């Protein structure tokens, strides 16, 4: 049975390798490098939050609100990012995004008050949002026949950033000063900006697309396209999937410490393992989508997640929790399948604008899920909360059945 499974994985890994082994690989690597630092720094914030609280005398509520500001600004920046990408092209959008992010981190590092930290964090979140849409559209245009694998590679780079940058930032902040936990990334943003400028094609869209003006007719066109049943269904899957992901990543370490009795160090290690596995899960998921389509790949991911979420309340040993964490990491493959599928559904001339609007929508809806889960946990229903998340995964699996066959 194992040799059979290996044979099945062979074509999937070959597709992922193909995305890095031709003349277009420079684009994938440059975009992936930007996503590595863009997403990784957002996960640095929770690690450095205790230092920020001490420096500016923030209570827990205010510190939590800083994270809300970061993610809300990221969600709200998706639509403007899509519009800029459609009108000015992906190269300018990606470069501007990385430059804004680097400059705002400099403001955070040199901030003299909490107000400046909050304002700079909001602008950092908004700036990185510009990257969110353009990375999908440029890869989709560069790899029209192998987009899932290529997007999976770039997404995996983000998980690598999640696993590495927070650890590095924590070590630097502890050894020196907390500001350097942000500051060491600023030169990386500058280097990536230069790389993107020279590697990403100047004209990623047709001339008439870049000259497209915003009008009522354009708005009607966008809305009419977004009302198509497959787009509505996959957007619902994204709303539920992002809600599940935000809740899981927000509370999993706390659950392991308070309910399973693990030390903070061990819980943090399992949390890092979850993201580190995304380096492998996302390219494989994207390759599976390219080969088998969305209806045959997404349900597998959700079934594995259901098993893991239902197991959390009964497993106790460390190694069983490691296994559950491995199964949970299958959820990281969701975005590597749904995003290329959604991107391919959208007309190219409004691809960035439409994708930005949809990403803003599902992220804002999903942002309400962690507080709701927190209410359950505060009332002693931590385990039941994860059972509820399993039900969400089951709902997503059923929604896949409403997508057309490819």
């Amino acid at each position: 049975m194992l040799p059979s499974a290996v044979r099945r994985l062979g074509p999937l890994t070959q597709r992922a390798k193909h995305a890095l082994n031709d003349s277009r690989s420079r684009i994938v690597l440059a975009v992936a490098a930007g996503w590595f630092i863009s997403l990784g720094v957002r996960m640095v914030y929770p690690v450095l939050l205790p230092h920020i609280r001490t420096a500016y005398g923030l209570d827990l509520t205010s510190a939590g609100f800083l994270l809300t500001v970061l993610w809300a600004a990221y969600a709200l920046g998706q639509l403007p990012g899509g519009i800029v990408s459609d009108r000015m092209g992906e190269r300018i959008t990606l470069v501007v995004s990385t430059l804004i992010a680097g400059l705002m981190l400099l403001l955070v590092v040199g901030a003299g008050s909490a107000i400046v930290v909050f304002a700079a964090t909001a602008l950092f979140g908004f700036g990185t949002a510009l990257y969110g849409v353009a990375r999908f559209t440029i890869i989709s245009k560069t790899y029209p026949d192998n987009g899932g694998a290529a997007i999976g590679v770039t997404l995996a780079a983000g998980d690598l950033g999640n696993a590495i940058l927070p650890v590095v930032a924590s070590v630097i902040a502890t050894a020196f000063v907390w500001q350097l936990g942000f500051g060491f990334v600023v030169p990386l943003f500058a280097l990536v900006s230069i790389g993107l400028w020279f590697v990403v094609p100047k004209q990623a869209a047709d001339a008439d697309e870049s000259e497209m003006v915003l009008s009522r007719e354009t708005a009607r066109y966008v809305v009419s396209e977004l009302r198509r049943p497959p787009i509505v269904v996959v957007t619902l899957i994204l709303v539920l999937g992002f809600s599940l992901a935000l809740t899981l990543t927000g509370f999993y370490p706390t659950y392991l410490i308070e309910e399973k009795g693990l030390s903070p160090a061990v819980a943090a290690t399992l949390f890092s393992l979850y993201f580190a596995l995304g380096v492998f899960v996302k390219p494989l998921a994207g390759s599976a989508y390219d080969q088998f389509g969305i209806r045959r790949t997404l349900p597998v991911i959700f079934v594995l997640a259901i098993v893991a979420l239902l197991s959390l309340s009964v497993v106790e040993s460390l190694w069983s929790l490691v296994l559950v964490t491995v199964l949970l990491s299958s959820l990281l493959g969701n975005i590597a399948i749904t995003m290329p599928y959604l991107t391919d559904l959208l007309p190219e001339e409004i691809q960035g604008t439409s994708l930005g609007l949809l990403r803003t929508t599902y992220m804002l809806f999903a942002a309400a899920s962690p507080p709701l889960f927190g209410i359950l946990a505060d009332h002693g229903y931590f385990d039941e909360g994860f059972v509820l998340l399993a039900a969400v995964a089951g709902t997503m699996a059923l929604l896949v059945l409403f997508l057309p066959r490819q």
Side-chain angles (χ1 to χ4, degrees):
M1 186 170 180
L2 183 58
S4 174
V6 172
R7 284 195 300 272
R8 287 179 176 271
L9 285 175
L12 304 185
T13 56
Q14 287 301 316
R15 284 176 177 266
K17 289 179 180 178
H18 177 69
L20 295 174
N21 287 336
D22 62 19
S23 59
R24 301 166 294 180
S25 62
R26 294 186 309 161
I27 299 174
V28 176
L29 293 175
V31 173
W35 191 236
F36 171 89
I37 54 175
S38 175
L39 186 57
V41 172
R42 271 177 274 151
M43 291 301 167
V44 166
Y45 266 88
V47 171
L48 297 186
L49 206 56
H51 298 278
I52 296 174
R53 285 186 60 213
T54 301
Y56 297 104
L58 303 178
D59 57 22
L60 284 171
T61 301
S62 300
F65 185 63
L66 180 64
L67 299 181
T68 300
V69 167
L70 172 65
W71 285 102
Y74 180 73
L76 292 172
Q78 299 296 315
L79 177 56
I83 294 173
V84 171
S85 180
D86 278 341
R87 291 172 62 87
M88 303 182 68
E90 285 85 357
R91 184 174 74 161
I92 291 178
T93 306
L94 294 170
V95 170
V96 168
S97 171
T98 51
L99 288 176
I100 291 175
L103 290 172
M104 291 308 106
L105 282 184
L106 277 178
L107 279 181
V108 172
V109 168
S113 67
I115 293 177
V116 175
V117 172
F118 274 77
T121 296
L123 291 173
F124 171 80
F126 191 88
T128 56
L130 302 180
Y131 207 97
V133 174
R135 68 191 163 105
F136 285 116
T137 57
I138 185 60
I139 296 299
S140 180
K141 292 171 184 176
T142 305
Y143 288 87
D145 300 319
N146 200 29
I151 287 176
V153 170
T154 61
L155 291 172
D159 286 315
L160 195 60
N162 286 342
I164 294 175
L165 293 186
V167 176
V168 175
S170 177
V171 171
I172 292 176
T174 302
F176 302 101
V177 293
W178 69 266
Q179 288 90 340
L180 289 180
F182 286 119
F184 85 97
V185 189
V186 173
L188 299 181
F189 274 114
L191 289 174
V192 168
S193 298
I194 295 171
L196 288 167
W197 181 261
F198 286 104
V199 170
V200 176
K202 181 178 181 181
Q203 195 68 36
D206 294 335
D208 58 340
E209 292 171 13
S210 62
E211 293 171 2
M212 181 180 174
V213 295
L214 296 176
S215 64
R216 289 186 179 181
E217 289 73 20
T218 301
R220 291 193 188 100
Y221 180 31
V222 170
V223 171
S224 66
E225 288 295 323
L226 298 188
R227 291 171 63 185
R228 289 162 49 202
I231 294 178
V232 172
V233 172
V234 78
T235 301
L236 287 174
I237 293 173
L238 283 165
V239 169
L240 295 176
F242 203 66
S243 299
L244 199 163
L246 282 182
T247 303
L248 179 63
T249 56
F251 287 94
Y252 193 48
T254 302
Y255 176 79
L256 293 175
I257 295 169
E258 295 188 1
E259 299 296 320
K260 299 302 180 181
L262 300 185
S263 68
V266 174
T269 301
L270 286 182
F271 191 51
S272 294
L273 174 65
Y274 172 82
F275 286 113
L277 289 169
V279 175
F280 306 99
V281 170
K282 287 182 177 177
L284 287 176
S287 299
Y289 163 71
D290 287 335
Q291 184 166 350
F292 302 115
I294 193 169
R295 285 171 60 96
R296 296 175 64 185
T297 50
L298 266 189
V300 175
I301 286 174
F302 297 145
V303 167
L304 291 174
I306 290 170
V307 172
L309 290 166
L310 292 178
S311 300
L312 273 176
S313 61
V314 296
V315 300
E316 296 294 337
S317 71
L318 176 59
W319 288 112
S320 61
L321 289 170
V322 170
L323 178 59
V324 167
T325 302
V326 171
L327 292 177
L328 282 175
S329 70
S330 64
L331 283 169
L332 295 170
N334 177 25
I335 197 74
I337 296 171
T338 49
M339 287 311 299
Y341 177 81
L342 178 60
T343 304
D344 290 341
L345 286 177
L346 299 171
E348 193 165 308
E349 65 271 16
I350 57 168
Q351 202 172 65
T353 302
S354 301
L355 196 58
L357 178 59
L358 290 174
R359 282 171 61 81
T360 294
T361 301
Y362 76 73
M363 286 181 180
L364 285 177
F365 273 107
S369 58
L372 296 177
F373 189 92
I375 293 173
L376 288 176
D378 279 336
H379 286 80
Y381 297 108
F382 230 142
D383 287 327
E384 289 79 1
F386 283 106
V387 172
L388 184 60
L389 293 183
V392 171
T395 302
M396 290 190 286
L398 292 177
L399 285 172
V400 175
L401 301 178
F402 291 91
L403 294 173
R405 296 183 182 276
Q406 292 173 286

